[in-house]
Amino acid sequence: MPDSLPVRFVICGVGHIGRRHATLVARYPGAQLVGLVDTNTELAAALSLEFPGIPFFSSLEACFLANCEADVLTIATPNDQHTPQAIAGLAHGLHVVIEKPIALRTRDAEAVVRMAEQTGRLVFGVMQNRYSPPAAWLKQLVEGGQLGQVYLVQINCFWNRDARYYHAGGWKGTQQQDGGTLFTQFSHFVDLLYWVFGDITNISARFRDFNHGETTEFEDSGLVTFDLVRGGSGTLQYSTAVWDRNLESSLTLIAEHGSLKIGGQYMDKVEYCHLRNYALPALPPTNPANDYGPYQGSAANHVQVIENVVETVQKRSHATTNALEGLKVVEIIERIYSLKGASANA
């Protein structure tokens, strides 16, 4: 498409994150918001005030039947809807942006990849950690060889997700629609692991449900160990059982030529860096966390996602997170969760 034309977005799912997408699209100079879709028709009145003149549809089918002219479909709906809606959007000739995860099963993610290939459309996964300055710095270090051989990688994700988050009657916390803690809460940290260090093997895991017995149908905590295919070993320790507020998201790395730690609540700062013949450069500031009122999420990097989509669709850049990488994250999580039957505490 010509550079002068804005990239037109339809947002499917206008909850907190979907509304954030809509707001950022409406503000972004190279983008245009052309439609909002949600099965909750009670949202229509408020959305008409917040986004005047933007049509509201109660289903994707209604949006397509109305010939809503768009270039990109952004999907911010319950996890189990991501695959069918992505396939419908691609079949309709739209590029697709999918909030994490792109699917709950490897075979479904593969179906999205096949449809993208068949239609010649692009699929973007929302993996916001890739836009974090410390994460980008870490990837450059690993790819540049300054670390030498990677020995140990430790990722800790210790968050609060209590009854303020897991509402009775909602989709979050259900096995069918949510899929599990690694899918909804921490898939972007699995993505960071894969993006920086590559694939993992020799996985073992233990799962516990400490304080979510009344609110979720799956574990709230997990201890995962693995080997890196490229060499070295690692652990992923995660929990949503932290009392009252998030504790941290951190990555500690021990390597041949030194050690480092990225920490903070949202992996937003370099807490330690001691590498041979290397001085830590000044990094750009990390965006603040997504604020959901009583609880918080990871760094709010959605504007970079939208910028990347616009630049890529207008052929000035390439997708930061493509469908194949999104598929790989689903496959890694599926391999971890396949061990639940072997865990006495699953």
Side-chain angles (χ1 to χ4, degrees), residues 126-144:
V126 177
M127 289 298 182
Q128 58 266 44
N129 278 357
R130 296 194 181 196
Y131 298 98
S132 166
W137 165 77
L138 175 62
K139 182 172 175 64
Q140 290 175 347
L141 273 183
V142 172
E143 291 186 341

Side-chain angles (χ1 to χ4, degrees), residues 50-93:
E50 192 170 349
F51 304 101
I54 304 302
F56 176 90
F57 305 95
S58 60
S59 69
L60 263 185
E61 292 75 16
C63 177
F64 294 155
L65 285 172
N67 294 318
C68 179
E69 294 187 0
D71 306 297
V72 177
L73 171 66
T74 296
I75 298 169
T77 54
N79 296 348
D80 67 325
Q81 294 300 304
H82 292 183
T83 295
Q85 290 171 345
I87 289 174
L90 292 166
H92 198 71

